[in-house]
Amino acid sequence: MSEPIIAVHRITKQVADSTGTLTILHEIDFELRPRESVAIVGASGSGKSTLLSIIAGLDVPTSGQVVLAGTDLFELDEDARAAVRARSVGFVFQSFQLLANLTALENVMLPLELMGHADARAQATEMLRRVGLAERLAHYPKVLSGGEQQRVALARAFVVKPAVLLADEPTGSLDFATGETVMALMFEMNREAGTTLVLVTHDRGIAARCDRQLRIEAGRLVP
């Protein structure tokens, strides 16, 4: 059996508030193999998005370990964690997170340029064609529909050929029909690329399309 691409060991996240210490996540444990897909589900406030941020190394746990693509994230400083994200992780967010002053093409080129790819324009153009936006390369986010913006975000995520795709409520800002189209495209591209998918969602239909589901209640994994 292949080594896990993601190994989460006894992750606990606590924060201080006016009443004392609040435990957001309590000793979360799971592993994902390459090409596996998992949906993290649970009620609002259960800790789903916090867990995703910790898996990405964007947030730091109070205790525990995350090994991502063979690297123990929290043995690294923030700059080194950012380097791991750049080469191994793609992101898709509910709010798209496109840069408003860049065109669709420039948004997709950006991670390639940061990695020093000489053919960033050609790769980004081909990826935008793949998501059905070949005619929208020069358009800025403000003139794109929500579905088009999320497809640009998909192109940006997949263009770097990430080992892991982290998606946080990717249909949360879209109407049902548009969300269905975007999710079908995401799952199709994920299969083509052989990417490991971690998806936070409240949509049971979307969650059911993943290989398995992890349910969080009050910061704990439950059967």
Side-chain angles (χ1 to χ4, degrees), residues 113-130:
E113 291 176 327
L114 292 174
M115 295 170 69
H117 287 255
D119 59 345
R121 179 173 294 272
Q123 287 191 58
T125 299
E126 173 57 25
M127 188 57 71
L128 284 165
R129 184 206 62 76
R130 172 66 184 83

PDB file of all heavy atoms in Angstrom, residues 113-130:
ATOM      1  N   GLU A 113       4.308  31.642 -12.549  1.00  0.00           N
ATOM      2  CA  GLU A 113       5.387  32.633 -12.591  1.00  0.00           C
ATOM      3  C   GLU A 113       6.154  32.651 -11.273  1.00  0.00           C
ATOM      4  O   GLU A 113       7.394  32.777 -11.273  1.00  0.00           O
ATOM      5  CB  GLU A 113       4.800  34.011 -12.893  1.00  0.00           C
ATOM      6  CG  GLU A 113       4.267  34.144 -14.314  1.00  0.00           C
ATOM      7  CD  GLU A 113       3.603  35.482 -14.569  1.00  0.00           C
ATOM      8  OE1 GLU A 113       3.001  36.049 -13.630  1.00  0.00           O
ATOM      9  OE2 GLU A 113       3.683  35.963 -15.714  1.00  0.00           O
ATOM     10  N   LEU A 114       5.437  32.507 -10.170  1.00  0.00           N
ATOM     11  CA  LEU A 114       6.104  32.481  -8.866  1.00  0.00           C
ATOM     12  C   LEU A 114       7.025  31.282  -8.732  1.00  0.00           C
ATOM     13  O   LEU A 114       8.010  31.315  -8.000  1.00  0.00           O
ATOM     14  CB  LEU A 114       5.066  32.492  -7.745  1.00  0.00           C
ATOM     15  CG  LEU A 114       4.257  33.780  -7.596  1.00  0.00           C
ATOM     16  CD1 LEU A 114       3.158  33.610  -6.557  1.00  0.00           C
ATOM     17  CD2 LEU A 114       5.169  34.954  -7.226  1.00  0.00           C
ATOM     18  N   MET A 115       6.691  30.205  -9.460  1.00  0.00           N
ATOM     19  CA  MET A 115       7.523  28.998  -9.434  1.00  0.00           C
ATOM     20  C   MET A 115       8.604  29.020 -10.513  1.00  0.00           C
ATOM     21  O   MET A 115       9.390  28.087 -10.617  1.00  0.00           O
ATOM     22  CB  MET A 115       6.641  27.762  -9.608  1.00  0.00           C
ATOM     23  CG  MET A 115       5.663  27.541  -8.465  1.00  0.00           C
ATOM     24  SD  MET A 115       4.451  26.244  -8.826  1.00  0.00           S
ATOM     25  CE  MET A 115       5.507  24.779  -8.804  1.00  0.00           C
ATOM     26  N   GLY A 116       8.631  30.088 -11.326  1.00  0.00           N
ATOM     27  CA  GLY A 116       9.683  30.246 -12.311  1.00  0.00           C
ATOM     28  C   GLY A 116       9.466  29.528 -13.622  1.00  0.00           C
ATOM     29  O   GLY A 116      10.427  29.302 -14.378  1.00  0.00           O
ATOM     30  N   HIS A 117       8.213  29.186 -13.962  1.00  0.00           N
ATOM     31  CA  HIS A 117       7.929  28.505 -15.223  1.00  0.00           C
ATOM     32  C   HIS A 117       8.061  29.490 -16.391  1.00  0.00           C
ATOM     33  O   HIS A 117       7.386  30.527 -16.425  1.00  0.00           O
ATOM     34  CB  HIS A 117       6.522  27.917 -15.218  1.00  0.00           C
ATOM     35  CG  HIS A 117       6.382  26.703 -14.352  1.00  0.00           C
ATOM     36  ND1 HIS A 117       6.284  25.425 -14.859  1.00  0.00           N
ATOM     37  CD2 HIS A 117       6.332  26.569 -13.005  1.00  0.00           C
ATOM     38  CE1 HIS A 117       6.181  24.560 -13.865  1.00  0.00           C
ATOM     39  NE2 HIS A 117       6.200  25.236 -12.724  1.00  0.00           N
ATOM     40  N   ALA A 118       8.871  29.152 -17.349  1.00  0.00           N
ATOM     41  CA  ALA A 118       9.070  30.032 -18.500  1.00  0.00           C
ATOM     42  C   ALA A 118       7.867  30.041 -19.428  1.00  0.00           C
ATOM     43  O   ALA A 118       7.646  31.019 -20.164  1.00  0.00           O
ATOM     44  CB  ALA A 118      10.318  29.601 -19.272  1.00  0.00           C
ATOM     45  N   ASP A 119       7.086  28.958 -19.429  1.00  0.00           N
ATOM     46  CA  ASP A 119       5.945  28.857 -20.335  1.00  0.00           C
ATOM     47  C   ASP A 119       4.625  29.062 -19.604  1.00  0.00           C
ATOM     48  O   ASP A 119       3.610  28.448 -19.936  1.00  0.00           O
ATOM     49  CB  ASP A 119       5.942  27.501 -21.038  1.00  0.00           C
ATOM     50  CG  ASP A 119       5.876  26.332 -20.057  1.00  0.00           C
ATOM     51  OD1 ASP A 119       6.118  26.555 -18.858  1.00  0.00           O
ATOM     52  OD2 ASP A 119       5.570  25.207 -20.503  1.00  0.00           O
ATOM     53  N   ALA A 120       4.621  29.960 -18.617  1.00  0.00           N
ATOM     54  CA  ALA A 120       3.431  30.176 -17.797  1.00  0.00           C
ATOM     55  C   ALA A 120       2.225  30.579 -18.637  1.00  0.00           C
ATOM     56  O   ALA A 120       1.114  30.090 -18.421  1.00  0.00           O
ATOM     57  CB  ALA A 120       3.720  31.237 -16.734  1.00  0.00           C
ATOM     58  N   ARG A 121       2.427  31.442 -19.617  1.00  0.00           N
ATOM     59  CA  ARG A 121       1.291  31.908 -20.424  1.00  0.00           C
ATOM     60  C   ARG A 121       0.662  30.754 -21.206  1.00  0.00           C
ATOM     61  O   ARG A 121      -0.564  30.615 -21.241  1.00  0.00           O
ATOM     62  CB  ARG A 121       1.743  33.018 -21.383  1.00  0.00           C
ATOM     63  CG  ARG A 121       0.628  33.556 -22.288  1.00  0.00           C
ATOM     64  CD  ARG A 121       1.104  34.755 -23.084  1.00  0.00           C
ATOM     65  NE  ARG A 121       1.379  35.889 -22.197  1.00  0.00           N
ATOM     66  CZ  ARG A 121       0.452  36.778 -21.825  1.00  0.00           C
ATOM     67  NH1 ARG A 121      -0.794  36.679 -22.262  1.00  0.00           N
ATOM     68  NH2 ARG A 121       0.785  37.778 -21.037  1.00  0.00           N
ATOM     69  N   ALA A 122       1.478  29.927 -21.812  1.00  0.00           N
ATOM     70  CA  ALA A 122       0.939  28.816 -22.599  1.00  0.00           C
ATOM     71  C   ALA A 122       0.207  27.810 -21.702  1.00  0.00           C
ATOM     72  O   ALA A 122      -0.890  27.324 -22.055  1.00  0.00           O
ATOM     73  CB  ALA A 122       2.074  28.126 -23.357  1.00  0.00           C
ATOM     74  N   GLN A 123       0.786  27.496 -20.548  1.00  0.00           N
ATOM     75  CA  GLN A 123       0.140  26.550 -19.639  1.00  0.00           C
ATOM     76  C   GLN A 123      -1.183  27.100 -19.112  1.00  0.00           C
ATOM     77  O   GLN A 123      -2.183  26.385 -19.030  1.00  0.00           O
ATOM     78  CB  GLN A 123       1.060  26.233 -18.455  1.00  0.00           C
ATOM     79  CG  GLN A 123       2.247  25.355 -18.786  1.00  0.00           C
ATOM     80  CD  GLN A 123       2.941  24.884 -17.513  1.00  0.00           C
ATOM     81  OE1 GLN A 123       2.333  24.249 -16.659  1.00  0.00           O
ATOM     82  NE2 GLN A 123       4.212  25.206 -17.389  1.00  0.00           N
ATOM     83  N   ALA A 124      -1.189  28.384 -18.746  1.00  0.00           N
ATOM     84  CA  ALA A 124      -2.404  28.996 -18.210  1.00  0.00           C
ATOM     85  C   ALA A 124      -3.488  29.087 -19.283  1.00  0.00           C
ATOM     86  O   ALA A 124      -4.672  28.852 -19.003  1.00  0.00           O
ATOM     87  CB  ALA A 124      -2.081  30.386 -17.655  1.00  0.00           C
ATOM     88  N   THR A 125      -3.087  29.409 -20.505  1.00  0.00           N
ATOM     89  CA  THR A 125      -4.055  29.488 -21.610  1.00  0.00           C
ATOM     90  C   THR A 125      -4.698  28.130 -21.845  1.00  0.00           C
ATOM     91  O   THR A 125      -5.922  28.022 -22.001  1.00  0.00           O
ATOM     92  CB  THR A 125      -3.358  29.974 -22.892  1.00  0.00           C
ATOM     93  OG1 THR A 125      -2.816  31.280 -22.664  1.00  0.00           O
ATOM     94  CG2 THR A 125      -4.331  30.016 -24.060  1.00  0.00           C
ATOM     95  N   GLU A 126      -3.907  27.080 -21.840  1.00  0.00           N
ATOM     96  CA  GLU A 126      -4.437  25.736 -22.056  1.00  0.00           C
ATOM     97  C   GLU A 126      -5.362  25.328 -20.908  1.00  0.00           C
ATOM     98  O   GLU A 126      -6.417  24.706 -21.138  1.00  0.00           O
ATOM     99  CB  GLU A 126      -3.289  24.738 -22.188  1.00  0.00           C
ATOM    100  CG  GLU A 126      -3.715  23.273 -22.256  1.00  0.00           C
ATOM    101  CD  GLU A 126      -4.672  22.970 -23.389  1.00  0.00           C
ATOM    102  OE1 GLU A 126      -4.678  23.711 -24.402  1.00  0.00           O
ATOM    103  OE2 GLU A 126      -5.440  21.993 -23.271  1.00  0.00           O
ATOM    104  N   MET A 127      -5.016  25.674 -19.686  1.00  0.00           N
ATOM    105  CA  MET A 127      -5.864  25.296 -18.554  1.00  0.00           C
ATOM    106  C   MET A 127      -7.186  26.053 -18.578  1.00  0.00           C
ATOM    107  O   MET A 127      -8.245  25.482 -18.263  1.00  0.00           O
ATOM    108  CB  MET A 127      -5.124  25.546 -17.236  1.00  0.00           C
ATOM    109  CG  MET A 127      -5.845  24.999 -16.021  1.00  0.00           C
ATOM    110  SD  MET A 127      -6.206  23.222 -16.088  1.00  0.00           S
ATOM    111  CE  MET A 127      -4.554  22.534 -15.887  1.00  0.00           C
ATOM    112  N   LEU A 128      -7.167  27.313 -18.971  1.00  0.00           N
ATOM    113  CA  LEU A 128      -8.423  28.052 -19.096  1.00  0.00           C
ATOM    114  C   LEU A 128      -9.279  27.498 -20.234  1.00  0.00           C
ATOM    115  O   LEU A 128     -10.504  27.466 -20.143  1.00  0.00           O
ATOM    116  CB  LEU A 128      -8.154  29.545 -19.285  1.00  0.00           C
ATOM    117  CG  LEU A 128      -7.741  30.270 -18.003  1.00  0.00           C
ATOM    118  CD1 LEU A 128      -7.134  31.625 -18.304  1.00  0.00           C
ATOM    119  CD2 LEU A 128      -8.936  30.437 -17.076  1.00  0.00           C
ATOM    120  N   ARG A 129      -8.649  27.041 -21.288  1.00  0.00           N
ATOM    121  CA  ARG A 129      -9.397  26.359 -22.344  1.00  0.00           C
ATOM    122  C   ARG A 129     -10.041  25.103 -21.785  1.00  0.00           C
ATOM    123  O   ARG A 129     -11.206  24.798 -22.092  1.00  0.00           O
ATOM    124  CB  ARG A 129      -8.459  26.004 -23.505  1.00  0.00           C
ATOM    125  CG  ARG A 129      -9.179  25.362 -24.695  1.00  0.00           C
ATOM    126  CD  ARG A 129      -8.253  24.485 -25.512  1.00  0.00           C
ATOM    127  NE  ARG A 129      -7.729  23.366 -24.721  1.00  0.00           N
ATOM    128  CZ  ARG A 129      -8.443  22.278 -24.413  1.00  0.00           C
ATOM    129  NH1 ARG A 129      -9.708  22.154 -24.805  1.00  0.00           N
ATOM    130  NH2 ARG A 129      -7.894  21.318 -23.692  1.00  0.00           N
ATOM    131  N   ARG A 130      -9.317  24.382 -20.943  1.00  0.00           N
ATOM    132  CA  ARG A 130      -9.835  23.134 -20.361  1.00  0.00           C
ATOM    133  C   ARG A 130     -11.094  23.374 -19.529  1.00  0.00           C
ATOM    134  O   ARG A 130     -11.995  22.524 -19.511  1.00  0.00           O
ATOM    135  CB  ARG A 130      -8.744  22.494 -19.485  1.00  0.00           C
ATOM    136  CG  ARG A 130      -9.190  21.297 -18.658  1.00  0.00           C
ATOM    137  CD  ARG A 130      -9.574  20.122 -19.541  1.00  0.00           C
ATOM    138  NE  ARG A 130     -10.096  19.016 -18.756  1.00  0.00           N
ATOM    139  CZ  ARG A 130     -11.359  18.918 -18.339  1.00  0.00           C
ATOM    140  NH1 ARG A 130     -12.238  19.875 -18.620  1.00  0.00           N
ATOM    141  NH2 ARG A 130     -11.765  17.870 -17.652  1.00  0.00           N
TER     142      ARG A 130
END
